[in-house]
Amino acid sequence: MTVPPPSQHEADRDRRYEQLVELAPDGILVHDGEVILSANAAAVRLAGASREEQLVGQPVDMLLHPPHLKAVARQITNHTSSVELAPPVRDTLHRLDGGHVEVEVRAQVFVEGGRPSAHLVIRDITERLASEAVTREHAAQLQETQRLEAVSALAGGVAHEVNNMLQVIVGFGALLLDEREVTSESLANVREIIAAANHAAAITRQLLEFSRHAVHRPQSVDLSAMVRQLRPVIRQMTGEQRRLDVSAQESHFVWVDPGQLEQLVVNLIINARHATTHDDTIAIVAAEVEILRGALDNDGRSISPGRYGILSVRDTGSGMDTATRARIFEPFFTTKLIGGGTGLGLAAVAGIMAQNGGHITVKTALGEGSTFSLYFPLVAPSPLSDRGHTPGVNAPVSPPARLPAETTILVVDDEPAICKVTGRLLERAGYTVARAHSGSEALDLIERTGVPALILTDLGMPGMSGRELAQRIRAKWPAVPVVFMSGYAAGAAEYDAVDDPQHLLIEKPFDPAELLASVENVLKAVPLV
C-alpha cells in the first residue's frame, strides 16, 4: 500500500511545530530511552555545546541522571502512549565543558511515526534558586530581628523592675549605715548587701545597653584621650602578665555617649582577657581611618565611604570558630564556664554601637586571636568634649549647703517603697519631703499644699508619665525644677538633660550621695520658690 505524501497543511503545521520547538526558551531534548534524537537551540546552549550535532546520538544520561528517566525508558520499552503530564523533577545538568546547571525537568512520552520517544523540557532554575535563597535569608534575618526585639523589650522591662528593687535595697542600706545603734558586725553585713546590689545593678546596666534603653547622652568625645584616661583601669583588668599595647596619641573626636564609650572599652577588654592566657597580647588602638569603598559591618549593614574614628581591640588568644563567631552578640550566649560570665558583654556592645550610630566588624579564626573594630562618626571638637558626663549626675559628693526652713521636695513614684526610702534619704539631709504615687496625685497635692522647691519624679509611671507631669507643672509653675528618676530611660530622648538645668535624669539604682549632690546642684542653679 502506498502512503500518500503529506498535504501542504500538514507540512506547514510541522514547520510551525519545529520553529516553536527551536525557539522555545526552555531546553527540549527528544530521546528514545537511550540516545538523544534531537535538541533545540536552548538545550544546545544549556549543554555547553555549539551545535545540535554534538548532542544527537549521545547517551541521554551523559547530561541527566534523574530517576524519572528510567520510568520514561520503561514506558518507551512498553510502547506506552500515555499523554499524562509527569510532574517536574529537580536535577543537575552536566555540561560538555564540565560545568553544572541546576535545572527542572519535565518528561513526556509520545509516539511519533509509530516509534515511542520522550520529550524532556529542561528549564534553567539557577536564578530562581538564588532568589529563593535570598528570600529564605531575608526571612531568617527578619525572624532573628523579631526575636531580638522581643528579647530586648523583655530585657528592658526586667531591668526596670529589678532596678526599682535595687534602689530600695541600696537606699535602706545607706540609711542603716548611718544608724548609730547598728553594731560593727551588722554594718559589715549591710556593706555586703549594698555591694551585692551594686553588682546586680552592673548586670542590669548590661541588659539596658543591649536593649538600647540605657540613658543616652551623646557628645563630642576625644576617642584617644578617653583611651589614655582608661589605661590604668585597662592595665588592672588585663593583669601584669599579659602584654598590653595601647596606641592612642592623636585626637580623634567622635559623637558618642562618654559613659557608654567607657563601657565599650571595658566590655571588649574583659572579652579579650577571657580569650587570652598570661603570655598573650592585648592591643587597643584609637585611630582615624578612611573607608574608600562601601564595606559591611557585623550585621551586614553597609558602612558608607568616608572617614571614621576607630577603636580596635585585638588579642592573640584562642580565637573563635565559625559557629561561635555567629552567636557572640546574642544575649546570654557565653563560652565561659558557669559563673564565669553572663553572656551580656558583647550583646551590650552591639546595643551601644547601634544606639550611637556606629558599626562593628570582627576578624577571628580559631587559634589566631580576634580583632573587634568599632567605627564612630567623626565630628569637630566641641566645648562639650571637655565637660565629661552631664553635670550633676557625677558631681562631687559633698553635704548640702544650709537649707531654707521651707525647702520642700515632692517625691513622685508609683513604687511606694521607692517613695519611702528616697524621702527618708532627703529628710536625713534636712529637706522637707512630700510624697505622691502618681502624676495626678502630685498635681492634686500641689494645688492643696502649694508649690515645692523641687519635684523628683519617676520617668516611667502608668497613667501620667513623669515627662507629662513635668510639662503640666512647667505650664502652670515654670520656675519649678524637675529631676527625673528612671530604672531605664525608655523616654529619656524626650527631654533635654544637657542644656536645661531644671531637667536632670538620675539612673536607678543611684547612690544616696549622688541623689543629694544632684538635688543640691539643681536647687543652686534655680531660685527656690
Side-chain angles (χ1 to χ4, degrees), residues 12 37 40 57 67 108 141 167 203 238 242 356 433 445 500:
D12 290 344
L37 301 179
N40 72 345
Q108 177 61 47
Q141 289 176 347
Q167 183 61 64
I203 296 175
T238 58
R242 289 178 179 83
N356 286 278
V433 176
L445 186 62
D500 188 348

Side-chain angles (χ1 to χ4, degrees), residues 63-86:
L63 300 178
L64 299 164
H65 298 281
H68 67 270
L69 281 182
K70 295 181 180 179
V72 172
R74 285 196 297 271
Q75 292 183 33
I76 293 174
T77 303
N78 296 333
H79 300 280
T80 303
S81 58
S82 170
V83 294
E84 273 188 36
L85 289 176

Side-chain angles (χ1 to χ4, degrees), residues 78-226:
N78 296 333
H79 300 280
T80 303
S81 58
S82 170
V83 294
E84 273 188 36
L85 289 176
V89 177
R90 168 86 177 273
D91 194 13
T92 301
L93 186 143
H94 304 277
R95 292 166 51 92
L96 299 184
D97 59 9
H100 304 282
V101 180
E102 295 302 314
V103 295
E104 186 178 79
V105 182
R106 188 184 294 273
Q108 177 61 47
V109 176
F110 72 104
V111 177
E112 184 176 13
R115 183 179 180 184
S117 301
H119 271 168
L120 297 183
V121 181
I122 308 168
R123 176 167 294 178
D124 185 351
I125 59 172
T126 304
E127 291 186 4
R128 191 182 81 189
L129 293 177
S131 177
E132 290 174 353
V134 170
T135 300
R136 286 194 300 271
E137 182 179 354
H138 286 171
Q141 289 176 347
L142 177 60
Q143 185 178 17
E144 178 67 10
T145 299
Q146 291 172 336
R147 186 183 71 84
L148 289 178
E149 286 177 352
V151 174
S152 172
L154 176 63
V158 169
H160 175 257
E161 295 303 319
V162 171
N163 279 340
N164 275 342
M165 294 302 99
L166 291 176
Q167 183 61 64
V168 175
I169 295 171
V170 170
F172 279 113
L175 290 172
L176 278 175
L177 290 178
D178 287 341
E179 292 288 346
R180 296 178 180 178
E181 294 80 6
V182 179
T183 65
S184 58
E185 182 180 354
S186 295
L187 286 176
N189 293 337
V190 173
R191 292 190 181 96
E192 289 294 332
I193 291 171
I194 294 176
N198 289 332
H199 179 69
I203 296 175
T204 59
R205 278 194 294 272
Q206 299 275 37
L207 278 172
L208 292 174
E209 301 291 5
F210 157 69
S211 63
R212 306 178 196 179
H213 286 149
V215 175
H216 188 221
R217 302 185 183 95
Q219 59 191 53
S220 177
V221 178
D222 185 345
L223 191 60
S224 296
M226 179 69 75

Side-chain angles (χ1 to χ4, degrees), residues 429-492:
Y431 295 99
T432 301
V433 176
R435 297 173 177 84
H437 299 122
S438 68
S440 57
E441 184 181 336
L443 291 174
D444 291 342
L445 186 62
I446 294 173
E447 293 284 1
R448 294 197 316 269
T449 63
V451 180
L454 180 144
I455 296 174
L456 180 64
T457 178
D458 187 39
L459 188 61
M461 295 184 294
M464 185 186 300
S465 69
R467 169 62 175 164
E468 184 181 352
L469 173 62
Q471 289 174 333
R472 296 179 66 170
I473 292 291
R474 293 296 297 277
K476 294 191 69 172
W477 305 285
V480 178
V482 177
V483 174
F484 293 114
M485 305 179 290
S486 181
Y488 78 109

Side-chain angles (χ1 to χ4, degrees), residues 6 20 44 62-64 73 125 133 143 181 192 194 200 253 278 315 320 344 367 375 385 432 514 521:
L20 283 172
V44 171
M62 175 186 72
L63 300 178
L64 299 164
I125 59 172
Q143 185 178 17
E181 294 80 6
E192 289 294 332
I194 294 176
F253 287 89
H278 295 321
D315 68 72
M320 293 173 280
L344 288 171
Y375 294 80
S385 61
T432 301
E514 178 188 349
N521 286 348

Side-chain angles (χ1 to χ4, degrees), residues 175 178 398-411 421-435 453-454 512 515-517 519-520 523 528:
L175 290 172
D178 287 341
S398 60
R402 183 177 299 276
L403 300 171
E406 295 299 326
T407 305
T408 300
I409 296 177
L410 173 57
V411 179
V421 70
T422 306
R424 287 184 60 182
L425 289 169
L426 292 169
E427 288 168 342
R428 282 283 185 94
Y431 295 99
T432 301
V433 176
R435 297 173 177 84
L454 180 144
L515 168 68
L516 297 178
V519 167
E520 182 187 1
L523 290 175
L528 297 175

